[in-house]
Structure formats: structure tokens, C-alpha cells
């Protein structure tokens, strides 16, 4: 096990009706920037509920609506300007990972003198941030309980992840009933996203035994409840388990002490940056291809464990057989059970003209990962995924 | 899944040499009460290392040595008096769970006007506490990352657990090499203690799927590495995995959203209160007896899962067979593999004269647990464990 620091200071209020705890925002000041996306929180009533609670504790509310699915730096800049001009005390994100990511960089940008894009390129520049609160409406990114944010500058085809201790939320409300209205497409994409976070930490050179077992627990939970949530969108146990698993997939529990650099996420970020596709769909498409590509005698033991412990394959079979079956199970899960688009063409990417450029950028991002890949490897993976 | 609040604010520095981070104590003031046990930290050199770091950041150090294995309220009172008289800013526990538990109640008592025993009987009376820091030297109780403390008043044969959000440590140093010198007896008892914490959360009426899987991950880790640590005391991976698993067994990860009241711990607390035996040994002795006692058609599904997922028994067997084998495996693990005393006689309890009285007290403590037990049931369990 590597040396590590583990610190998850975010207070989580989990369950039905926990939004009432937004009254605790009064502990962080008198004004709040409410950050949200396309207006679904107005249709669902969460917006009104939240506003009433904030009003009841005399908080002045400013609004930053319209955060995009792949949040743009332009929106971050707008939020930062509002925070600075109005001297806002805290941010409250109500939405999924994109909204929360945007709010995090707004909170950090409000305490930074330069352009917030600097903070996206280098998280170590974040030296302070406004307190960040979140109400989660989509189980996927884990942003509600971690230090990360992913922001895009589509004018440059750039999409980068950043992270800072200062960007960990102070408090997050996780009410699984808020995800009842999440569409089948987004439910599947969210499940794929959290599974990918877990894979990134599971397929690692440095054995962390406990962390690996925790990864398997998360994967089993996602595989068990993803299809139930798809079938029955208001199944509380399904939504609750997916939501809580999504948070733990990326809050440090399965990475600290164990993980290498990530490899599939950097590849997918280029897909989203060049084609603006749904992140979770891109991950699902790339994952089985990547698994096949890196399966070797050296990586076999972990793939075998994956097959036996997660998919409950017969451990007495030949190891390579188990590994291949496990990859096939993964493919079936995403593309048959969860009904996701199975290749890049199915999400509208029909040619390979940017693959070379994308692969070069992705290779930089995946340096030091489980199986280090060269640009030519990544280009080949994109091509096989086409 | 129940509604819950999850909050683990303790910053963990995990790994070799992480004690250097004790310099962060300077953030909490200028004076510290150093709490420790019988002097093993002096022999190991941790005491001198810590003192030097504290000195380097100009902290004034007061000392409360001699904390007992089942920490006494008298020692807590002594610490509280020192904190109040010397206006001490924070406490630093260096040791195992007993030392940390003592330090926690000292920290709370320093901010309380009455007798600290009040806080042991009712954690809700704790409204504030001095900042608590710990350096862990024994993987067992998980006190380094939770809100609980167990304190005894042997003048009254009383041993009670208490808990408060204010008693969660600010920061804990977990250096697995500090546990290399832990004796086989204590290594086994510590492993049994953390397994029992996990069992208390695993055997529960309210299904928390993810939490149950996490429990299995913890149990597998403890069962895998307990014997290795016994065999090879300086095996880093074994000590590291046990240490980190012990923390997660009780910090809320596997209890929040899922668990009922505990049942075996209250029974064991009476053994320790009346006979001052080693807590982990008492738990190991009671656990298989308790398992057999509560195994029924109703509890069968969870016992079957325990057998299949933790002990990897053949799932195609008859469920009751699997359950009984799993209990037998548990018994073998504690008493053969980990070489622990297998019954109460082996720890010096040779008569049943207090059983009735103990059972009455334990029944109060286990109210609302997995299988609610009456005093007569508990008396019978003690008797079978004799």
C-alpha cells in the first residue's frame, strides 16, 4: 500500500427529505450563488423547495442557471464575475456532476485573481475557495463528495479535469428520490461513469487488497442495481444504492493507497472535447475495447479476480478464459442490459479524422497508468471502438 | 436504506513516517495533553519522535500516562482536571483504542462542567470538546476515526460506550510499522474486535446492499491478513490492511443507512466490566455462540450470504448447511488459526455467579438489535460460552 492522506470532510445528508438541512448554509454567510442546469429542477419542484429554505434563513440568492452537460469555462467565468461583483459568500449547486463541477471552479475562481481556466489546467493554483454546498440530482460523477471538477473550453477542443482540497464540498444532500425522473439514457450513462471510476482504481499495478475488495463491492452494487433502476425508475433501494456507490467510487476510499493514474477517462475526455458526446456513453464504449487491449499475461491476475469476484465466474476455469468472459460480460452489461450505444458510430462519430490528435492528448493524460499507452495504442483503441 | 448523516472529518495520514504531520497540531493552539498507556511507546521510540516534533513547533506538552487497557473513569477525571487547571488547548493520544477513548472523553470533559462519567452515560451531553489528535499503535477499535469511546468504572462493574460528533479526531496518524511489535495475543484480539464491529453491522434487519458488500470486503481482508500478521509480525501489507480495515469497520461506512443496534458488544462489555478480560478475546468467544443462537429460518439468508461471499462456500449447497459451515469456519478462524482462547474458562472465568446480573444489563444495551434477546437468552449464551 502506498502512503496516502485520506480526508473526506463533506457532511452527507442521505435520504428522503434531507434537503431541509440546507438551512445549515446560514453558517457560511448571508449570500449564496445558486448554480443549476437546464431547468429540470424547476419542473421537479426542487428549485422552489430550496429557495423557500434559503429564504427562511434570510439568505440572499443570486442565480447562475444554464450550466451545460459538459460545463464550459465561459459559464464558470460568468459565475466568478458574479461572486466577485456581488461579494457572494458561498455557492450551492443543485444538479448533477456538471453543475457541481462548474460550481466548484466558480467557488475557487472567486478567490483567485486570474482567469479561472488557469485553475482547470493546474489545480495546485487553487489556494482557497468559497464554501461549496450541493444537492445531487444525478448519480454518476461523485463530484458531490470529491475534490475534482471537469471543465471544457470547446473553442479549443479542450476538456480537462482539475482537483483541489479546497474544492471538496462542505455539505451535500443526497436524496435518491430526486433521481426517479432521470431518463434511462442518463441512468445508464451515470452507472457507466461510476463503474469507470471504479475500474480506473481497480486496474492498478500497486495492490491495495482492501481497496480492491471495496472496488468489487461497488461494482457488484452498480451491476445489481443499474438494471433495476432502468426497469423501475422509482425503485428507492436501486436509486439509493447507485447514488451512494457513485459517491464512494471517487471520494478516495478506493483510490488512496492503491491507484495509479487513470487511463480510460483521459481517452474519453478527448471524445467529449472533440464531439461533445455524453461522457458515460463514451466511457462505456471505450471500456471493453481498452480491457481487451491491455489484457496480457501480466494483467491476467487482476482480470481473473474481476471475473470471479464481480461476475462470479467459475474460478476453476482457465484464467485467460475467465478474463475474456469477464470482458464479454462487461460488454453485454453496457450494451444489452443497460441498452447503451455500443460504438462510436452509434453516438454520431463516423470518421477518424481527429483520432491522431486526440490520441496524442490522451496519452499525456494517462501517463503512469496501469498499462502505459502510446498515442498509436490509443489511436488503435479509438479505431476499434468506431 | 435508512436516512442517515455521514460525516468523517478526521484527516488520516497513512503510511510509514507519517508521524511528521504532528506538526499540524500547532494549528490548534499552544499546549497539548499527551495521553498514553503503559510505556511501550517509550521503548519503541515513538514517544521521543513525537515529543521532538511537538517541541519543534513550540508546543507545551503535559502528560497523562498510564491509561489502562479498559480505560478507567478515574484516569479520565485526572486528565480533565489537568486540562482545566492548565488551560490545555488540545489532546494527543498515542496508543491503541483504550488510550484514544480515554483522550476523547478527557477532551469532552474539559469542556463540560460536571463529572465526565455523565458523558459516558449520555453522549448527547457532550456539546464541545478540545481538538483530538491520535497516533495509532494497535489496529482494533477504530477509535482513531470514529465518534465512540468506551470507559469503565470498575468500582461499580460498569463499562459503557458513549459517542459524540465532537469526539471525532481532527487528525490521526496511521503508521502500520508501529504495529510490528504488537504481540500475537493482541494482534488476534484486535482482529477479532474489528471483525466483531463488522459483524454488528452486517447482521442487520435493514438491508443496505452496498453496506453489506463493504462488510464482506472488510471481513475478507481481516480473514486474509490476520493470520499473516500473526505469522510474520513485520509484514507491511498485512499490518496496513488490518489497520485500514479496522478504521473503516466503525467509522460509519458500513453502519450508516443500514445497521441496527449492536448485540454482541453489549454482552462482551459485561464480561470486561465484571472480569476485566481482554475485549477482543471476549468478543471472539461470544461470537460463534451468538451466531448459533440466532440462526433461524428468518436469519438464514444473511448467514448464507456470509458463508458464500466471505468464506467462499459452495452456493449450491443447502442454505442451512452453508450457514452452519460458516459459523464453524468462524470458530476455526478465531480458535485454531488465530490461536485465541476458545471459551470463558480459558480467560479465567470459571463460574456463572454474575451471569444473571450481567445478562440483565446486556439486554438493555442490545435493545433493537438484529435478533432481540431477553436476559434469559443472554444468560444462556454466557453459559454456552463457559
Amino acid at each position: 500500500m502506498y502512503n496516502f492522506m485520506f480526508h473526506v470532510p463533506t457532511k452527507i445528508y442521505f435520504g428522503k427529505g434531507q434537503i431541509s438541512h440546507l438551512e445549515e448554509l446560514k453558517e457560511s454567510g448571508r449570500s449564496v450563488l445558486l448554480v443549476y442546469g437546464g431547468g429540470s429542477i424547476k419542473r421537479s419542484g426542487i428549485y422552489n423547495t430550496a429557495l423557500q429554505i434559503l429564504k427562511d434563513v434570510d439568505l440572499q440568492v443570486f442565480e447562475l442557471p444554464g450550466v451545460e452537460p459538459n460545463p464550459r469555462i465561459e459559464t464558470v467565468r460568468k459565475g466568478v464575475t458574479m461572486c466577485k461583483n456581488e461579494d457572494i459568500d458561498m455557492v450551492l449547486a443543485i444538479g448533477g456532476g456538471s453543475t457541481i463541477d462548474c460550481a466548484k471552479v466558480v467557488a475557487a475562481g472567486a478567490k483567485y485573481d486570474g482567469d479561472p481556466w488557469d485553475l482547470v489546467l493546474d489545480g495546485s493554483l487553487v489556494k482557497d475557495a468559497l464554501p461549496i454546498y450541493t444537492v445531487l440530482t444525478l448519480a454518476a460523477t461523485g463530484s458531490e463528495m470529491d475534490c475534482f471538477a471537469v471543465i471544457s473550453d470547446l473553442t479549443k477542443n479542450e476538456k480537462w479535469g482539475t482537483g483541489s482540497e479546497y474544492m471538496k464540498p462542505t455539505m451535500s444532500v443526497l436524496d435518491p428520490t430526486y433521481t426517479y425522473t432521470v431518463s434511462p439514457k442518463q441512468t445508464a450513462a451515470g452507472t457507466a461513469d461510476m463503474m469507470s471510476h471504479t475500474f480506473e482504481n481497480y486496474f492498478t499495478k500497486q495492490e491495495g487488497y482492501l481497496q480492491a475488495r471495496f472496488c468489487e463491492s461497488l461494482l457488484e452494487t452498480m451491476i445489481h442495481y443499474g438494471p433495476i433502476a432502468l426497469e423501475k425508475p422509482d425503485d428507492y433501494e436501486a436509486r439509493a444504492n447507485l447514488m451512494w456507490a457513485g459517491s464512494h467510487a471517487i471520494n478516495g476510499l478506493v483510490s488512496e493507497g492503491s491507484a495509479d493514474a487513470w487511463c480510460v477517462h483521459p481517452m474519453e475526455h478527448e471524445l467529449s472535447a472533440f464531439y461533445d458526446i455524453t461522457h458515460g456513453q463514451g466511457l462505456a464504449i471505450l471500456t471493453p475495447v481498452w480491457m481487451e487491449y491491455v489484457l496480457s499475461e501480466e494483467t491476467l491476475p487482476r482480470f481473473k479476480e474481476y471475473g470471479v469476484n464481480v461476475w462470479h465466474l467459475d474460478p476453476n476455469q482457465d484464467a485467460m478464459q475467465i478474463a475474456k468472459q469477464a470482458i464479454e460480460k462487461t460488454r453485454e452489461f453496457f450494451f444489452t442490459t443497460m441498452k447503451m450505444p455500443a460504438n462510436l458510430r452509434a453516438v454520431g462519430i463516423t470518421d477518424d479524422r481527429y483520432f491522431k490528435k486526440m490520441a496524442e492528448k490522451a496519452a499525456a493524460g494517462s501517463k503512469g497508468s496501469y498499462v502505459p499507452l502510446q498515442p498509436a495504442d490509443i489511436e488503435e483503441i479509438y479505431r476499434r471502438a468506431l
Side-chain angles (χ1 to χ4, degrees), chain A:
Chain A
M1 215 181 277
Y2 295 122
N3 277 14
F4 62 87
M5 191 270 277
F6 179 88
H7 192 212
V8 185
T10 307
K11 188 193 279 188
I12 300 290
Y13 285 107
F14 193 101
K16 290 173 201 170
Q18 296 279 34
I19 198 168
S20 62
H21 291 284
L22 284 186
E23 62 170 30
E24 291 183 18
L25 268 68
K26 67 181 181 224
E27 291 165 15
S28 292
R30 299 173 152 226
S31 58
V32 54
L33 181 68
L34 174 59
V35 183
Y36 58 99
S40 67
I41 64 162
K42 290 190 177 171
R43 291 190 295 279
S44 66
I46 303 174
Y47 174 86
N48 281 340
T49 306
L51 272 191
Q52 187 60 50
I53 296 164
L54 300 177
K55 200 181 146 192
D56 288 348
V57 291
D58 294 323
L59 277 161
Q60 190 184 3
V61 180
F62 297 87
E63 299 198 20
L64 180 68
V67 177
E68 307 80 10
N70 282 317
R72 316 285 164 84
I73 188 64
E74 293 82 355
T75 312
V76 172
R77 288 190 186 114
K78 204 166 141 189
V80 169
T81 303
M82 289 175 75
C83 287
K84 287 182 175 174
N85 288 350
E86 306 290 347
D87 201 18
I88 293 171
D89 295 321
M90 73 199 86
V91 298
L92 165 62
I94 304 185
S98 301
T99 298
I100 298 172
D101 284 6
C102 177
K104 282 174 166 177
V105 185
V106 167
K111 295 281 191 174
Y112 178 71
D113 279 338
D115 180 11
W117 185 248
D118 301 348
L119 309 177
V120 176
L121 296 178
D122 181 0
S124 74
L125 294 175
V126 179
K127 302 294 182 197
D128 197 5
L130 299 177
I132 297 158
Y133 293 86
T134 89
V135 176
L136 186 65
T137 62
L138 179 69
T141 70
S143 190
E144 66 278 5
M145 206 180 175
D146 75 10
C147 68
F148 302 113
V150 182
I151 304 293
S152 298
D153 184 343
L154 292 184
T155 65
K156 303 178 191 160
N157 293 129
E158 303 257 357
K159 176 176 180 174
W160 296 108
T162 183
S164 163
E165 286 297 308
Y166 297 102
M167 297 197 315
K168 290 180 175 170
T170 301
M171 183 255 271
S172 288
V173 172
L174 274 61
D175 183 336
T177 66
Y178 292 170
T179 63
Y180 285 173
T181 54
V182 172
S183 69
K185 175 191 159 179
Q186 289 299 342
T187 298
T191 304
D193 189 21
M194 60 179 84
M195 284 176 70
S196 181
H197 295 157
T198 314
F199 288 139
E200 300 274 19
N201 292 313
Y202 186 59
F203 292 98
T204 170
K205 288 190 293 291
Q206 172 78 7
E207 169 78 357
Y209 185 94
L210 175 60
Q211 290 88 339
R213 298 293 84 74
F214 278 155
C215 283
E216 290 160 357
S217 293
L218 291 170
L219 290 169
E220 284 192 85
T221 301
M222 295 161 191
I223 290 166
H224 181 73
Y225 281 116
I228 296 174
L230 214 57
E231 189 69 29
K232 192 162 175 287
D234 61 349
D235 186 295
Y236 186 80
E237 287 305 308
R239 294 298 193 177
N241 276 280
L242 287 175
M243 196 171 233
W244 200 213
S247 300
H248 284 300
I250 194 171
N251 68 6
L253 181 73
V254 294
S255 59
E256 294 302 342
S258 179
D260 301 303
W262 289 16
C263 35
V264 177
H265 268 69
M267 287 192 260
E268 198 295 316
H269 282 178
E270 299 309 321
L271 287 177
S272 294
F274 279 78
Y275 297 99
D276 202 18
I277 67 169
T278 299
H279 177 54
Q281 293 186 338
L283 292 168
I285 292 166
L286 292 174
T287 294
V289 181
W290 168 82
M291 284 180 166
E292 278 167 349
Y293 198 87
V294 302
L295 175 61
S296 68
E297 284 302 325
E298 200 189 336
T299 61
L300 186 54
R302 177 45 49 94
F303 275 98
K304 183 186 168 183
E305 281 190 304
Y306 172 55
V308 171
N309 296 342
V310 175
W311 292 107
H312 304 288
L313 301 174
D314 178 1
N316 299 315
Q317 292 176 93
D318 170 68
M320 190 55 84
Q321 276 308 106
I322 295 171
K324 286 181 178 171
Q325 280 178 47
I327 296 172
E328 203 41 46
K329 287 270 183 194
T330 310
R331 183 170 269 133
E332 273 174 31
F333 178 78
F334 286 141
F335 308 134
T336 306
T337 311
M338 298 302 283
K339 305 183 176 65
M340 299 184 77
N343 52 48
L344 294 178
R345 286 180 199 277
V347 292
I349 301 174
T350 52
D351 66 83
D352 62 359
R353 78 178 96 163
Y354 300 119
F355 284 3
K356 198 177 162 68
K357 195 170 169 190
M358 287 160 54
E360 272 158 21
K361 291 171 80 178
S366 69
K367 224 168 147 175
S369 72
Y370 182 50
V371 177
L373 298 175
Q374 299 305 312
D377 299 309
I378 296 175
E379 208 182 329
E380 176 62 19
I381 290 173
Y382 286 139
R383 218 174 291 281
R384 291 185 191 177
L386 197 59

